[in-house]
Amino acid sequence: MLSLNELWFVLIAVLFVGFFFLEGFDFGVGMQSQMLPKDERQRRVMINSIGPFWDANEVWLITGAGAMFAAFPEWYATLFSGFYVPFVFALFGLILRGVAFEYRGKAQSAGWRTTWDLSILIGSFLPPFLLAIVFASFIKGLPIDGDMQMHAAFFGDIVNVYTVLAGIAVVLMCNIHGLLFTALRTFGELQERARKRARALLLPTGVVLLAFVIMTYFQTDIFDVRGALLWAIVVLGVVAFVLAGYFCKRKRDGWAFGMTGAVLGLSVISVFVGLFPRVMVSSLGEAYNLTITNAASGHYSLKVMTIVALTMLPFVLGYQIWSYFIFHKRLSDKETLEY
Amino acid sequence: MDTLMLSRMQFASTTIFHFFFVPVTIGLSFIIAIMETMYVRSGNEEYKRMAKFWGKLFLVNFAIGVVTGILQEFQFGMNWSDYSRFVGDVFGAPLAVEALLAFFLESTFIGIWIFGWDKVSKKIHLLSIWFVAIGTTLSAFWILAANSFMQHPVGYTINNGRAEMNDFLSLITNGQVLVEFPHTVLGAFATGAFLIIGVSAIKLLRKQDVSFFQKSFKIAAIVGIISSIGVAFAGHWQAQYLVKTQPMKMAASEGLWGKSGDPAPWTVVANIDPENMVSTHELKIPYALSFLSYSKFSGEVKGMNELQAEYEQKYGPGNYIPPVRTTFWSFRIMIAAGMAMIFITLWAVYLMWRKKFDQPNTRFMRICLSGLLLPPIANTAGWLMTEFGRQPWTVFGLMTTEQSISPNITAGQVLFSLITFNGIYAALFIVLIYLFVKVIKKGPYAIDEDSHSTDPYNKKEGHHALT
């Protein structure tokens, strides 16, 4: 039986898997909407394809952070204060992007569109890039002292070859994931272009991912701690990645999309598996690690939260899946474009 | 300036900016839901136009509310990590529940509402705006439950040097939230109503789409009168609760240094001198403070000097007097704005009742233009009083603002974020005004070249995506 601390560790992992799977594709569509389309119409179709979803996808992140705050306040506090500057940039991106989607279509001038297009690009790039850096640093280790305070240098502790590689890998994966989503929700030329671009990105992304796994093996202790399980996840990830390429080639966009989502999800899972039972690794000594015990809320609080979460989650999943069902059709040429 | 001061400025600016948009979101979604209900029940296309037109303003506003909300959630950890460590066990729960219960609901159904006009049935579409409205109100409840813990901590015990929850039910039935929630949400309804009143007044003064805006105005005026009178009553309950739980805030909001005397008079204006701890040139209404505090015309209210001595005994040496001038004046500004709102809606309802509303009335409509400013002024002033008045505490009686700050961030970092975020707020505010003016100028019947395809009669739908 899981203890409540373990359960909340798992729930937070689930929330971040959901976040990267879902918001992953709309980050990707956001970035690609600035690189893939041939004309304004195609660009609008791409932005509209994520229109009904991106806001609810982002709530996975907000809920994830809220769950951290409630279940592991020390984790939440150490993380957000320790990564102060990266979070300023991530928030900058999230703010720009949210309003850009909503405002871009509301005026006609070229300057207006260019401004919001740039916002969509920056806003869809910064958050996944920086969050990947944050997650990679969790397992790499950070200078966290005996008072659970993290005093990290921006360059070195936070931004280094290993974490930046994680950032690039996740950004590339989001791009492929987003392109496959575009293939899934559009027709004709745009769909073809999206498939082609996704295929072209697969190989370089595979190389970056592989390099990241190798670096993880040397730079972190997670393969020593959870060797067998992690290798199984790596194998699953490789299989999903190869299958993504296969389905992409066979134009089975839905399956290919599922596989790239699986790669993103497995990446998040591998971080959490490698961490467990820690939540942040201290580079100053094992005694200073934040764990699911020393960072957690009390038993009563966790119990209340568990009851609320397990009651609400089925409804949340239910209506969110339903909303995907409502907008499951491809966007036709004659579509009313709200964005 | 030090990290503490900069962080406080950042928190204040973010929260004030965020709260320009939140009440509009809560109030407008509710009124739009009423309009769409009228459309679905009557089949009258004009009500659909209303839902769509006010919906446009709603969405322009909603976007900024959402994105600044993310910052709200992150900044507790970023700038106030020691606070987060101390209260997370209690305070984190309502925040997580808010996300789970309210944010998912509103974000999913706003997507269905925006993009679903031709995709779901009328009734499902109506249901989705109601879910948005309910979601925003639920969200208000949970965040106010969290705030209420800071004003009046309940349902906790101190264990291992931090606050731990031991009674969830009393946390969410905190007397504070039971008065704070109706006051805030009714204020939000009034804010939504006054936005419609103000914008309708602009259009009616220009004699554009007269019937449309008269109808909108009337719906808003009815919501407006109920909510703005309701706010006053809820505010009165809140004041009574305040005297019991945070008497220092009450005394500061009155500029009351010594005892009030019995019955206590209410100070309308005064020249407050915090250095010498005196208030001069006071203009007072007899009995009014007794009534405000106890709902009767007798009873004494404690002054700041006496409370300071009490607090020193209880909490140790220190200065427990909040910034008196800010607390005093924000309270009065809130009341004045609220009174003006009641006055305007009373007038409007009187005109409607006497069937004079449909006659041109330039003077009244000009006064109604002020409705665009009154609610944001009242909302902001109310929160300034609530939050300044609680100082020096973040959690009343348990933790001070000074103790709450993240020890591992530097003034340079906070200055950087303060400039970045406030730069964005300024830019977004300009953009918002620009878009509001654009939408209002266009009016409800303009052909929407932005969003419609060239061939609106072509109903060809796409194939199933997974086949």
Side-chain angles (χ1 to χ4, degrees):
Chain A
M1 224 5 227
L2 285 180
S3 74
L4 287 179
N5 299 48
E6 289 162 351
L7 176 72
W8 275 93
F9 183 80
V10 172
L11 278 175
I12 289 168
V14 169
L15 287 165
F16 280 100
V17 168
F19 169 70
F20 277 99
F21 188 108
L22 295 169
E23 184 110 314
F25 78 72
D26 68 56
F27 282 142
V29 172
M31 285 182 270
Q32 283 297 326
S33 71
Q34 304 311 316
M35 297 183 261
L36 183 71
K38 273 177 68 179
D39 54 32
E40 169 66 13
R41 172 79 198 175
Q42 288 189 352
R43 179 164 297 155
R44 285 191 68 179
V45 167
M46 281 186 80
I47 296 171
N48 275 271
S49 74
I50 55 168
F53 310 126
W54 71 267
D55 190 2
N57 293 346
E58 208 153 287
V59 175
W60 286 78
L61 171 67
I62 299 172
T63 310
M68 272 183 182
F69 197 173
F72 303 105
E74 304 284 1
W75 187 10
Y76 168 85
T78 306
L79 161 65
F80 281 90
S81 61
F83 285 95
Y84 191 88
V85 173
F87 275 114
V88 173
F89 282 109
L91 284 165
F92 176 76
L94 288 170
I95 291 173
L96 278 187
R97 171 184 132 89
V99 287
F101 289 141
E102 192 59 49
Y103 291 176
R104 184 185 182 279
K106 293 214 161 27
Q108 303 291 341
S109 81
W112 177 266
R113 297 247 151 123
T114 314
T115 307
W116 296 119
D117 278 340
L118 192 66
S119 305
I120 290 174
L121 182 66
I122 296 170
S124 302
F125 166 76
L126 283 177
F129 182 70
L130 292 164
L131 287 170
I133 286 181
V134 168
F135 274 89
S137 337
F138 280 176
I139 50 176
K140 186 174 183 292
L142 291 153
I144 298 168
D145 66 20
D147 296 323
M148 296 189 179
Q149 301 292 354
M150 170 178 154
H151 296 275
F154 184 72
F155 292 106
D157 290 326
I158 294 173
V159 174
N160 51 58
V161 178
Y162 177 69
T163 56
V164 168
L165 199 61
I168 295 170
V170 169
V171 166
L172 283 171
M173 271 316 293
C174 287
N175 272 280
I176 300 177
H177 197 42
L179 285 164
L180 291 170
F181 183 79
T182 305
L184 201 54
R185 283 212 75 206
T186 58
F187 276 126
E189 199 203 352
L190 183 60
Q191 185 188 31
E192 271 310 314
R193 288 172 66 84
R195 279 194 194 121
K196 229 175 115 186
R197 174 77 55 93
R199 272 212 300 278
L201 279 176
L202 272 168
L203 189 65
T205 306
V207 172
V208 175
L209 277 173
L210 202 65
F212 179 69
V213 173
I214 294 167
M215 270 196 95
T216 304
Y217 183 82
F218 290 109
Q219 294 253 332
T220 75
D221 67 355
I222 66 172
F223 281 97
D224 308 329
V225 183
R226 312 252 158 230
L229 190 52
L230 267 182
W231 283 118
I233 294 170
V234 171
V235 170
L236 278 179
V238 171
V239 170
F241 193 83
V242 171
L243 279 176
Y246 169 78
F247 287 126
C248 194
K249 208 169 177 181
R250 301 287 297 269
K251 303 194 177 179
R252 303 290 293 270
D253 305 319
W255 285 98
F257 174 73
M259 288 302 133
T260 48
V263 175
L264 279 166
L266 286 166
S267 313
V268 177
I269 290 171
S270 66
V271 169
F272 277 83
V273 166
L275 278 174
F276 184 84
R278 305 166 293 185
V279 292
M280 281 176 106
V281 176
S282 170
S283 56
L284 303 180
E286 224 169 280
Y288 300 153
N289 287 344
L290 267 65
T291 69
I292 60 167
T293 319
N294 70 12
S297 286
H299 185 77
Y300 177 83
S301 190
L302 292 178
K303 199 174 73 187
V304 169
M305 291 286 301
T306 304
I307 294 167
V308 176
L310 295 184
T311 318
M312 288 314 300
L313 218 50
F315 292 99
V316 170
L317 287 173
Y319 63 68
Q320 221 181 351
I321 291 168
W322 180 61
S323 94
Y324 276 87
F325 178 75
I326 293 173
F327 302 102
H328 74 289
K329 284 181 181 159
R330 295 181 193 276
L331 289 166
S332 72
D333 292 345
K334 311 292 181 194
E335 194 78 20
T336 304
L337 296 179
E338 300 289 343
Y339 278 171
Chain B
M1 256 183 287
D2 63 351
T3 318
L4 179 66
M5 196 59 207
L6 289 165
S7 291
R8 290 182 68 182
M9 283 164 67
Q10 181 168 308
F11 194 94
S13 56
T14 301
T15 310
I16 290 170
F17 188 68
H18 179 63
F19 209 72
F20 284 148
F21 308 101
V22 171
V24 176
T25 296
I26 296 172
L28 263 191
S29 62
F30 178 70
I31 299 172
I32 292 168
I34 292 176
M35 289 168 171
E36 199 172 331
T37 307
M38 290 163 93
Y39 161 63
V40 172
R41 293 192 67 168
S42 71
N44 183 347
E45 287 287 324
E46 194 171 22
Y47 290 121
K48 184 181 177 183
R49 275 276 146 204
M50 270 183 206
K52 281 202 159 186
F53 175 76
W54 298 111
K56 271 188 199 157
L57 293 182
F58 169 76
L59 291 174
V60 169
N61 154 83
F62 183 71
I64 304 187
V66 168
V67 295
T68 49
I70 313 172
L71 180 45
Q72 287 284 16
E73 194 202 32
F74 287 10
Q75 67 176 344
F76 293 113
M78 289 169 72
N79 295 70
W80 309 98
S81 65
D82 273 5
Y83 167 79
S84 305
R85 290 176 206 278
F86 181 71
V87 298
D89 194 297
V90 194
F91 186 86
L95 257 64
V97 176
E98 184 192 18
L100 201 59
L101 203 66
F103 291 162
F104 271 122
L105 195 69
E106 60 177 352
S107 63
T108 306
F109 284 95
I110 196 70
I112 296 175
W113 192 77
I114 302 172
F115 291 88
W117 284 102
D118 313 317
K119 299 249 184 334
V120 294
S121 73
K122 270 189 194 174
K123 284 199 172 137
I124 296 287
H125 197 266
L126 174 63
L127 200 64
S128 49
I129 189 70
W130 275 110
F131 276 139
V132 173
I134 292 166
T136 59
T137 307
L138 280 177
S139 150
F141 176 81
W142 290 100
I143 194 66
L144 291 174
N147 178 265
S148 293
F149 177 79
M150 301 168 77
Q151 311 290 345
H152 180 229
V154 292
Y156 73 99
T157 164
I158 298 291
N159 196 10
N160 303 323
R162 68 173 182 179
E164 289 188 357
M165 196 202 300
N166 65 4
D167 190 350
F168 185 62
L169 200 64
S170 59
L171 183 72
I172 60 174
T173 55
N174 187 345
Q176 175 69 24
V177 75
L178 297 184
V179 290
E180 196 172 299
F181 175 68
H183 188 64
T184 312
V185 166
L186 287 166
F189 287 167
T191 307
F194 271 87
L195 182 74
I196 294 180
I197 288 172
V199 171
S200 298
I202 297 174
K203 296 301 261 189
L204 290 172
L205 282 168
R206 296 182 175 196
K207 302 196 170 49
Q208 291 165 341
D209 300 309
V210 172
S211 152
F212 179 94
F213 285 105
Q214 279 179 344
K215 276 191 188 137
S216 298
F217 191 117
K218 285 179 189 169
I219 295 170
I222 290 166
V223 175
I225 191 162
I226 297 169
S227 51
S228 49
I229 291 176
V231 171
F233 275 99
H236 178 50
W237 301 331
Q238 219 178 338
Q240 294 175 62
Y241 198 76
L242 190 63
V243 180
K244 278 190 279 181
T245 56
Q246 295 180 76
M248 181 63 97
K249 189 190 289 184
M250 186 51 137
S253 73
E254 289 307 314
L256 188 66
W257 299 97
K259 282 186 195 316
S260 68
D262 185 4
W266 190 72
T267 312
V268 184
V269 290
N271 180 21
I272 295 165
D273 182 356
E275 258 102 82
N276 300 313
M277 298 185 155
V278 285
S279 302
T280 52
H281 302 89
E282 294 170 299
L283 176 65
K284 292 181 174 187
I285 305 175
Y287 300 102
L289 182 58
S290 287
F291 181 74
L292 187 71
S293 312
Y294 309 112
S295 277
K296 55 181 187 172
F297 293 100
S298 63
E300 196 176 43
V301 176
K302 280 182 186 171
M304 284 179 278
N305 295 335
E306 190 185 349
L307 289 163
Q308 167 69 23
E310 274 180 30
Y311 285 11
E312 268 183 50
Q313 257 191 354
K314 203 167 164 190
Y315 304 116
N319 180 8
Y320 297 98
I321 297 176
V324 184
R325 277 202 192 106
T326 311
T327 313
F328 179 88
W329 285 111
S330 54
F331 188 35
R332 267 133 205 88
I333 290 167
M334 175 186 76
I335 290 175
M339 289 295 179
M341 284 156 69
I342 293 175
F343 169 74
I344 289 175
T345 43
L346 273 177
W347 191 349
V349 169
Y350 170 77
L351 290 174
M352 280 155 66
W353 176 55
R354 297 298 300 268
K355 309 230 181 300
K356 284 181 180 167
F357 183 81
D358 296 345
Q359 298 161 12
N361 190 339
T362 312
R363 191 173 50 147
F364 175 60
M365 288 302 162
R366 284 212 179 114
I367 290 172
C368 285
L369 292 179
S370 69
L372 290 173
L373 288 177
L374 292 171
I377 290 172
N379 294 334
T380 308
W383 278 111
L384 287 178
M385 177 206 169
T386 307
E387 299 296 296
F388 267 101
R390 194 191 55 234
Q391 300 302 324
W393 305 103
T394 38
V395 186
F396 184 83
L398 296 181
M399 186 180 222
T400 64
T401 310
E402 221 179 314
Q403 295 165 341
S404 304
I405 189 84
S406 300
N408 54 338
I409 57 173
T410 65
Q413 288 173 335
V414 185
L415 186 65
F416 164 67
S417 62
L418 181 68
I419 293 170
T420 308
F421 292 139
N422 279 280
I424 301 179
Y425 301 157
L428 288 182
F429 199 72
I430 294 166
V431 169
L432 175 107
I433 301 287
Y434 167 75
L435 285 176
F436 261 43
V437 169
K438 199 171 144 77
V439 171
I440 293 165
K441 262 192 185 161
K442 253 190 180 172
Y445 293 103
I447 298 162
D448 213 338
E449 79 276 14
D450 295 346
S451 71
H452 285 271
S453 61
T454 42
D455 187 1
Y457 296 105
N458 191 326
K459 287 280 178 195
K460 187 188 147 212
E461 300 261 328
H463 303 304
H464 285 256
L466 286 169
T467 54

